[in-house]
Amino acid sequence: SASPKDQIYTLLAQSKAEQFWTFHQKGKPQDYFSADLKDFIQCMMQVDPLHRPSMSEILYHPWMLAEMPTKEQILE
């Protein structure tokens, strides 16, 4: 589990999301992570629990409502 001692999580905790995503993007195409996915992850990983989304907000986040690829599309 992530903790403040986790260097990667610390990037988010210190509002350095761009560096967090740069680390995770290595070796992947430029737009591998959508803006909606980045926002979704960053919201859920807020340090202060009061700033994290509720279950309802999670379920209605644009990333959750987006069209998902089929199994065949993923395998391609």
Side-chain angles (χ1 to χ4, degrees):
S1 95
S3 75
K5 293 180 182 181
D6 180 324
Q7 292 178 345
I8 303 305
Y9 173 75
T10 299
L11 292 174
L12 286 180
Q14 294 176 348
S15 299
K16 296 179 181 177
E18 193 170 320
Q19 291 176 0
F20 174 87
W21 291 111
T22 297
F23 174 83
H24 283 70
Q25 187 103 8
K26 287 181 184 172
K28 296 176 179 69
Q30 184 173 352
D31 294 326
Y32 187 80
F33 299 111
S34 70
D36 283 342
L37 174 64
K38 290 177 181 181
D39 180 68
F40 183 69
I41 298 297
Q42 287 169 226
C43 287
M44 291 182 28
M45 294 184 72
Q46 289 290 315
V47 175
D48 184 345
L50 296 176
H51 290 120
R52 293 181 200 143
S54 66
M55 183 56 80
S56 178
E57 291 169 321
I58 289 170
L59 292 173
Y60 289 99
H61 187 279
W63 187 78
M64 291 292 288
L65 297 174
E67 186 175 322
M68 297 294 166
T70 64
K71 180 179 178 180
E72 291 76 23
Q73 289 171 321
I74 293 170
L75 292 174
E76 282 180 14

